[in-house]
Amino acid sequence: MSKTTQIKPILDVNEKPKLLLWITLSLQHLFAMFGATVLVPILTGLSPSVALATSGIGTLIYIIITRGKIPAYLGSSFAFINPIISLSTSNNLQTAMMGAFLASLVYGIISLFIQKFGIDWLLRLLPPVVVGPIIIVIGLGMAPTAIDMAMNRTINGTKEYSLQNFLVAIITLLITIICCVILRGFAKLIPVLLGIIFGYIVSCLVGIVDFTPIIEAPWFQFPKFFIPFINYVPSFNLAVFAMVPIAIVTINEHIGHQIVLSEVVGKNFIKNPGLHKSILADGLAMMCASLLGGPPSTTYGENIGVLAITRVFSVFVLAGAAIFAIILSFIGKFSAFISTIPTPVMGGVSILLFGIIASSGLRMMVDKNIDLSINRNLVISSVIIVLGIGGAVLKFNSINFELPSMALAAISGILLNIILPKKN
């Protein structure tokens, strides 16, 4: 990692703001993470209120494990969307949650290896030529879902094209793009949230919002947690291992966030409290989410952006945002409001969001000077992209095991990187 540049903060990592300022700054971080954190459970069929609760709980766990030294917020991870949908559809939600639990164990194992052997071995296992195409697959693999949400509606169990829905999605997309490109300051960091708000207003004007759930919902409502031995009895199923390879990708994302965060704050978090601590904390937050029925969590770049703009690095502010998220998850009318957001609105913002994810993988390859004129690089990236986007799955019906396309693509890329000679 490059040498960090000391930046004079308005509030340093362990400084506590005054109450009114504290509340304001925490709400700002809540808004920054809200759109993406809620979008994941909507796409996967999980509970948005549980996702809010687990994001807050996970962030508090992260702060405690890192001893209050790293200002970060953990929200729902987009990398696990396809595997959760696949496992929930072909098996059940229990399988998806157990898969997330196993993925969190990978964090703990890698944390121990980093503490013992350093980080170089992991970077050799996951070079940009592997991680870049996998990130592209994560984004483009969800493209059909985004388009389906944007232009189709379901009537009596049958999907059909809806021009009205598609126009709402396009308007939402355009508003989100305008917010992303034209707006400045903090507003530039929450284009997804602003896009959803304006898209919701447009949906109200054209009459596709049903307010009945909001009217009928109580003010206080306990989130519908999905807890082992309470809501279900865990059972072993080989399908749960399908989510494990995705953890390798999100761990690499975690490392990138720690490097960027170190540059923003001016402290070397890779050394103190140590990458093994932050990865362990991330894994424990993911484990907590899996045990409560929430989507797997990850550190959020959106909140790092807020830190960079405001120069307020206080972990107390991030903890405040986490507490607000937990409180919101218990407000029944708020959860009901989220459920009334029309599908085309979420489809519109998803078009941009999934495209940005794919583009970030491409940017990684460009930034790291991956030369595709070299056959080895070309082969690795090509196989990952086609297997992942093409929907290839590895099935063993005799043992009821299925490896989804994204997991298969990730494993194939890692193996090709190990097997193929560096010179050709």
Side-chain angles (χ1 to χ4, degrees):
M1 191 184 76
S2 61
K3 185 179 180 181
T4 56
T5 303
Q6 186 64 41
I7 301 173
K8 185 178 180 181
I10 292 176
L11 284 173
D12 211 344
V13 175
N14 291 317
E15 289 184 307
K16 185 187 298 182
K18 293 182 179 179
L19 183 60
L20 183 59
L21 180 62
W22 190 348
I23 293 173
T24 304
L25 294 172
S26 293
L27 287 175
Q28 184 171 240
H29 275 283
L30 180 73
F31 291 145
M33 70 83 189
F34 181 84
T37 292
V38 170
L39 179 59
V40 173
I42 290 176
L43 292 174
T44 55
L46 301 177
S47 167
S49 60
V50 173
L52 279 174
T54 54
S55 77
I57 295 169
T59 299
L60 294 178
I61 290 173
Y62 186 93
I63 291 173
I64 292 170
I65 297 299
T66 57
R67 295 175 292 174
K69 292 186 176 183
I70 305 179
Y73 194 94
L74 278 69
S76 306
S77 172
F78 280 80
F80 290 91
I81 291 177
N82 250 341
I84 290 176
I85 293 175
S86 176
L87 291 177
S88 297
T89 302
S90 60
N91 295 273
N92 50 50
L93 182 57
Q94 170 190 330
T95 305
M97 291 300 100
M98 291 188 68
F101 181 85
L102 289 181
S104 71
L105 294 181
V106 175
Y107 278 71
I109 294 170
I110 289 183
S111 172
L112 291 174
F113 271 79
I114 290 176
Q115 185 178 17
K116 182 70 175 178
F117 303 108
I119 193 176
D120 290 343
W121 66 272
L122 182 60
L123 298 180
R124 285 194 298 269
L125 186 68
L126 292 169
V129 71
V130 173
V131 177
I134 293 175
I135 295 174
I136 292 173
V137 166
I138 290 172
L140 296 186
M142 289 302 299
T145 300
I147 298 301
D148 177 67
M149 293 174 67
M151 71 180 190
N152 295 326
R153 64 179 176 181
T154 302
I155 299 179
N156 297 325
T158 303
K159 287 185 179 181
E160 63 177 37
Y161 178 82
S162 170
L163 178 60
Q164 183 185 59
N165 281 19
F166 196 38
L167 290 176
V168 169
I170 293 299
I171 292 171
T172 303
L173 173 62
L174 290 175
I175 292 171
T176 308
I177 291 172
I178 291 171
C179 294
C180 185
V181 175
I182 296 179
L183 296 185
R184 294 291 180 266
F186 173 66
K188 187 179 178 69
L189 296 174
I190 54 170
V192 171
L193 181 60
L194 293 176
I196 291 174
I197 291 172
F198 282 102
Y200 192 89
I201 293 172
V202 172
S203 299
C204 291
L205 294 176
V206 300
I208 61 172
V209 178
D210 180 11
F211 295 103
T212 304
I214 301 176
I215 297 171
E216 295 180 347
W219 278 104
F220 177 84
Q221 188 174 52
F222 204 80
K224 296 178 181 178
F225 294 117
F226 190 65
I227 305 174
F229 301 108
I230 295 179
N231 301 109
Y232 66 94
V233 177
S235 59
F236 182 78
N237 186 327
L238 288 176
V240 300
F241 290 99
M243 292 179 69
V244 172
I246 310 303
I248 303 297
V249 181
T250 53
I251 286 172
N252 194 75
E253 179 186 36
H254 175 97
I255 295 171
H257 282 169
Q258 292 306 304
I259 292 173
V260 172
L261 192 56
S262 294
E263 295 291 342
V264 168
V265 179
K267 300 179 186 291
N268 193 333
F269 296 130
I270 301 293
K271 290 186 176 180
N272 185 19
L275 187 62
H276 64 289
K277 282 279 189 181
S278 63
I279 287 180
L280 176 62
D282 204 339
L284 288 174
M286 183 183 295
M287 181 180 293
C288 174
S290 70
L291 294 175
L292 294 176
S297 57
T298 186
T299 50
Y300 259 25
E302 292 91 333
N303 295 89
I304 295 175
V306 174
L307 292 172
I309 284 183
T310 62
R311 291 187 293 127
V312 174
F313 306 142
S314 171
V315 292
F316 293 98
V317 171
L318 277 304
I323 292 171
F324 278 129
I326 295 171
I327 293 172
L328 278 179
S329 71
F330 284 85
I331 299 177
K333 288 193 180 295
F334 182 78
S335 299
F337 166 74
I338 295 174
S339 72
T340 65
I341 299 174
T343 301
V345 172
M346 303 311 295
V349 296
S350 296
I351 291 172
L352 178 62
L353 209 53
F354 297 150
I356 288 175
I357 292 172
S359 298
S360 66
L362 181 61
R363 185 179 65 184
M364 172 184 283
M365 297 180 71
V366 172
D367 290 344
K368 299 299 182 180
N369 299 314
I370 301 301
D371 187 356
L372 294 182
S373 66
I374 298 175
N375 288 339
R376 181 181 188 276
N377 294 343
L378 184 63
V379 167
I380 293 173
S381 59
S382 299
V383 170
I384 291 173
I385 291 173
V386 173
L387 286 178
I389 297 177
V393 295
L394 188 63
K395 290 184 178 181
F396 297 95
N397 293 328
S398 59
I399 57 174
N400 191 28
F401 176 74
E402 178 179 317
L403 195 65
S405 57
M406 192 180 300
L408 180 60
I411 292 174
S412 299
I414 292 170
L415 291 177
L416 286 174
N417 179 60
I418 294 172
I419 296 170
L420 295 180
K422 294 294 180 68
K423 295 181 180 180
N424 54 33

